[in-house]
Amino acid sequence: MKKYSLKILPLILLLSFSACKNNKRFKVQVGNEVSQVKINRFDSAFITFDNSNPLQSTQELYRQYPQFMDVFVSDVLREDPNDSIKVSQSITKFLSDSTFSNVNNKVSETFKDVSAIEKTISESYQGIHYFFPQIKLPQLYFFVSGFNQSMVVHPDFIGVGLDMYLGSDFPLYKEIAYDYLTYNMRPESIPVDVISAILFSNFKIDIREDRLLDNMLYRGKIMYILAAIMPQVEPYDLMGYTKFQWEWSRKYEQAVWNTILDKGDIYSTDNLLIRKYLNEAPFTTPISQESPGRLGTWIAWQIVNSYMDKNQQITLADLLKDNNYQKMLDNSGYKP
């Protein structure tokens, strides 16, 4: 099987240990109006599809999950949702494939109990509702994608492709994904991926100049908010870093920042260079081959941490509205 870059929503996440103070500063007051998250197990209904009566089984899936089924059929199966016969044939073929049959069995085993995931996401939903009540909290669906998509983001729901979260040591991942991606292909990554997807989809980038600085600090703002909403998650897990990668970033923080400044990269509008600092990669190319990827976002988070520490009157809503990233950098007092 050919290796390729999977459609994994970026875990463009990070934090410094000073974030513990920030999380306490933005303590969530939970009200009774926030309901607990209950995940819709489309994956279970799909995996137990009755191949002996495919058309009726397909119609039953439409009946149980009308909205999600339409999106699943068009985005994952790549079929016309209005053609039930073709859809039933596609599902039968998908489920009879020996590779995906084994993968689906692993999904059923790994995600037999999702209560811990529901609890973490429920707590995070409470945080979103408290700080940003205008956000419509999406329903959650679990599904199997045939290694096609890790997440489907829709205005009303988010679908999570469980076959993309079976654990970094799942043997088949070595055949379809690069090593630097597999670490976060584990169940523990699901809540962070879901909440970051909600934040990034609701708060689009709005920049005056398309420089590395602006792109970095936009991500730094989102990650700061993510940390406030998910204080129960360790910083390195928010980042999607191993502990070693996290410690490397802390150890060489000053050297990384000096490199960005000395090269003049901070004000670059070169899209390729910007991607090298911010996108998923085995390392951050402009820094060193020993570095973890996405160090531009990591540094941006530290800048936003410093900015918010020095400006205690600024709320999370205020932070989101502020798109003057030069002013934010100047007022951060950031000196690693």
Side-chain angles (χ1 to χ4, degrees), residues 44-294:
S44 299
F46 184 81
I47 290 172
T48 57
F49 183 90
D50 183 4
N51 284 333
S52 65
N53 197 341
L55 185 57
Q56 182 178 338
S57 297
T58 299
Q59 292 170 342
E60 180 61 18
L61 285 175
Y62 275 112
R63 187 191 68 78
Q64 291 185 48
Y65 308 98
Q67 191 177 32
F68 184 77
M69 184 65 173
D70 272 353
V71 175
F72 176 80
V73 169
S74 60
D75 288 8
V76 179
L77 297 182
R78 311 291 184 182
E79 299 287 358
D80 179 1
N82 297 312
D83 190 343
S84 295
I85 294 177
K86 192 69 179 293
V87 170
S88 65
Q89 292 172 344
S90 181
I91 294 175
T92 299
K93 182 179 180 181
F94 179 93
L95 292 173
S96 61
D97 182 281
S98 59
T99 297
F100 294 130
S101 177
N102 292 332
V103 170
N104 293 342
N105 288 337
K106 181 64 174 177
V107 166
S108 297
E109 174 189 334
T110 303
F111 296 97
K112 183 177 181 180
D113 180 2
V114 297
S115 58
I117 295 175
E118 288 178 328
K119 180 177 184 296
T120 301
I121 295 177
S122 293
E123 293 171 350
S124 303
Y125 268 27
Q126 290 166 358
I128 294 174
H129 180 78
Y130 181 73
F131 292 118
F132 307 104
Q134 75 277 16
I135 291 181
K136 180 182 179 181
L137 296 173
Q139 293 189 56
L140 293 182
Y141 290 83
F142 279 178
F143 69 100
V144 289
S145 73
F147 297 141
N148 186 14
Q149 287 178 280
S150 62
M151 206 162 284
V152 173
V153 181
H154 185 275
D156 295 323
F157 62 79
I158 290 178
V160 180
L162 296 182
D163 47 338
M164 306 293 273
Y165 293 95
L166 291 173
S168 56
D169 59 349
F170 186 59
L172 278 178
Y173 288 163
K174 293 187 178 298
E175 300 180 32
I176 65 167
Y178 294 107
D179 289 344
Y180 70 88
L181 292 174
T182 59
Y183 175 71
N184 288 301
M185 297 172 70
R186 53 198 178 108
E188 296 86 350
S189 297
I190 290 176
V192 174
D193 279 9
V194 167
I195 302 305
S196 81
I198 293 172
L199 294 179
F200 278 101
S201 62
N202 277 276
F203 304 117
K204 305 292 186 182
I205 189 168
D206 181 9
I207 54 179
R208 299 179 180 185
E209 299 181 64
D210 196 11
R211 306 169 298 181
L212 176 62
L213 171 66
D214 307 271
N215 284 276
M216 280 175 54
L217 290 184
Y218 160 71
R219 287 162 175 77
K221 289 195 310 183
I222 297 294
M223 297 311 115
Y224 183 93
I225 292 166
L226 183 79
I229 289 170
M230 305 188 77
Q232 74 277 39
V233 180
E234 293 290 345
Y236 50 84
D237 283 330
L238 285 175
M239 179 64 191
Y241 274 4
T242 64
K243 288 184 179 180
F244 177 82
Q245 289 174 318
W246 181 265
E247 290 301 330
W248 191 100
S249 303
R250 296 293 295 168
K251 181 178 180 180
Y252 295 104
E253 180 179 358
Q254 182 178 22
V256 171
W257 180 235
N258 288 342
T259 297
I260 295 173
L261 294 180
D262 292 345
K263 288 185 174 183
D265 291 347
I266 192 68
Y267 297 117
S268 174
T269 58
D270 183 335
N271 287 330
L272 178 58
L273 180 67
I274 291 171
R275 290 197 297 270
K276 287 179 179 178
Y277 275 105
L278 302 177
N279 285 11
E280 291 278 5
F283 52 87
T284 303
T285 306
I287 302 302
S288 79
Q289 292 190 4
E290 290 72 37
S291 67
R294 298 176 283 114

Side-chain angles (χ1 to χ4, degrees), residues 315-330:
T315 66
L316 294 183
D318 293 334
L319 178 65
L320 269 177
K321 294 174 185 175
D322 189 354
N323 299 315
N324 189 336
Y325 295 115
Q326 184 62 58
K327 183 194 72 174
M328 189 175 295
L329 175 61
D330 293 342

